[in-house]
Amino acid sequence: MVIAFIIIFIVLLGIYAVFVEPWLPPKITRHKVVVSPEALGQKPLQIVVMTDLHACWPWMRPERIARIVERVNSLEPDLIALLGDYHTAMHPPFAKPLASAAAWARPMQHLKAPLGVFGVLGNHDWLEGGEDAREALEASGVSVLENRAQRVSTRGNSHVWLLGLDDQYGEACQLHGTGRRDDLEVALSQVEDDSAPRILLAHEPDIFLDAKKSVDLTLSGHTHGGQVRLPFIGALTIPSRLDRKYAKGAFEENGSTLIVGSGLGCSGLPIRFLCPPELLLIEIYA
């Protein structure tokens, strides 16, 4: 009797992890980042972060992406950040890639933010054609930042520096392997020497070890929060040189903040457990 109960319980958990949690509408996780304490009485800069779509059929079809875009717009952000891995990371029999990058990028043209929509590419985008992903995003009105800094005016005479880092994986899809595309120094060289906040968009969070010396906030995805998290244990593993404690959430070190999102899609297997799809809403007081 006990064995039968355990078997049924495991089967039900498996059904939930495959057919329920990955399909849930994204939860909204809010973070507050204080760059200048004197700005706490002012209206914050609001950024919504989308990461790790992993578009594919049936799990992340264009129709579902369109619904996520509607949810993003309903939050009325000042700026929208897309952090890469738009392409699928699952293959038959678990999923089928979409016909083209345009199929998943087309819904992005409906994203609305007065300060703009900015994005970077992830390792899976380069595995499946980084140029196609870039062109599809730009055709949908997304400004793709590859080792580039952009001055973004906020209110009055204020502004922030938005830096986009290219992917940290190398030619063999190994973190910091040969042929890596990221160059933080090139991006930083385009930032003027002023007191404006510096916000870094980087698909993988590993760059935080170096970036925290030069930027106020790093926004990353890639880890999927571990995708499967166990009670009292958390993520079993993450694809990162950072410790598992950096799988998801906000971390402050040396006056710099790292925020890692759990993402929206799945990688490897169509499974999520205690780590539902997520959008980040970040309020920055600067």
Side-chain angles (χ1 to χ4, degrees):
M1 185 67 179
V2 174
I3 295 177
F5 176 80
I6 292 174
I7 292 174
I8 293 172
F9 181 71
I10 292 174
V11 169
L12 291 176
L13 285 182
I15 292 173
Y16 171 81
V18 174
F19 296 106
V20 177
E21 190 164 307
W23 292 94
L24 293 176
K27 72 171 187 176
I28 310 301
T29 301
R30 299 172 183 265
H31 295 281
K32 182 169 75 172
V33 178
V34 180
V35 178
S36 301
E38 58 269 20
L40 282 171
Q42 303 174 6
K43 182 181 178 182
L45 172 68
Q46 293 194 107
I47 299 178
V48 168
V49 174
M50 296 174 60
T51 187
D52 298 280
L53 274 175
H54 292 298
C56 62
W57 191 94
W59 307 96
M60 189 62 72
R61 295 171 290 187
E63 296 84 358
R64 186 180 181 196
I65 298 173
R67 291 196 297 271
I68 293 172
V69 165
E70 290 178 0
R71 184 69 179 103
V72 170
N73 289 338
S74 72
L75 297 172
E76 300 183 340
D78 299 307
L79 186 149
I80 297 171
L82 313 178
L83 300 185
D85 272 9
Y86 315 97
H87 278 294
T88 182
M90 297 184 292
H91 298 282
F94 304 113
K96 179 182 178 181
L98 301 184
S100 66
W104 54 255
R106 198 170 292 116
M108 306 291 189
Q109 66 184 319
H110 299 293
L111 288 168
K112 298 177 182 178
L115 301 185
V117 182
F118 299 87
V120 296
L121 300 181
N123 57 300
H124 282 284
D125 301 318
W126 283 108
L127 270 177
E128 303 184 38
E131 290 81 5
D132 291 342
R134 184 200 305 118
E135 292 174 3
L137 287 168
E138 290 177 341
S140 296
V142 179
S143 298
V144 180
L145 303 178
E146 297 175 277
N147 302 324
R148 187 158 64 89
Q150 177 80 42
R151 187 183 190 273
V152 179
S153 298
T154 52
R155 56 181 177 273
N157 295 322
S158 301
H159 66 277
V160 298
W161 288 100
L162 197 66
L163 298 88
L165 192 69
D166 212 339
D167 189 65
Q168 299 167 58
Y169 271 70
E171 295 168 349
C173 201
Q174 296 178 343
L175 188 62
H176 301 296
T178 58
R180 54 189 287 194
R181 298 175 176 85
D182 63 304
D183 196 326
L184 179 61
E185 293 305 316
V186 167
L188 287 169
S189 70
Q190 302 167 40
V191 177
E192 296 174 8
D193 187 16
D194 58 24
S195 59
R198 299 177 177 185
I199 303 169
L200 176 65
L201 310 183
H203 178 65
E204 298 91 356
D206 297 63
I207 196 65
F208 181 65
L209 299 176
D210 298 320
K212 63 184 178 182
K213 308 168 189 174
S214 306
V215 304
D216 299 290
L217 172 63
T218 300
L219 302 177
S220 295
H222 180 66
T223 66
H224 296 212
Q227 202 164 293
V228 172
R229 301 177 66 88
L230 300 182
F232 311 109
I233 296 176
L236 299 178
T237 183
I238 61 171
S240 167
R241 290 189 297 124
L242 300 182
D243 188 85
R244 285 187 298 119
K245 74 175 184 179
Y246 293 93
K248 59 176 292 190
F251 312 90
E252 184 175 350
E253 295 182 10
N254 300 331
S256 185
T257 301
L258 166 68
I259 298 178
V260 183
S262 298
L264 295 157
C266 297
S267 180
L269 296 172
I271 294 175
R272 277 186 175 266
F273 185 69
L274 299 184
C275 192
E278 176 184 63
L279 290 169
L280 300 179
L281 176 57
I282 300 167
E283 296 182 336
I284 302 174
Y285 293 84

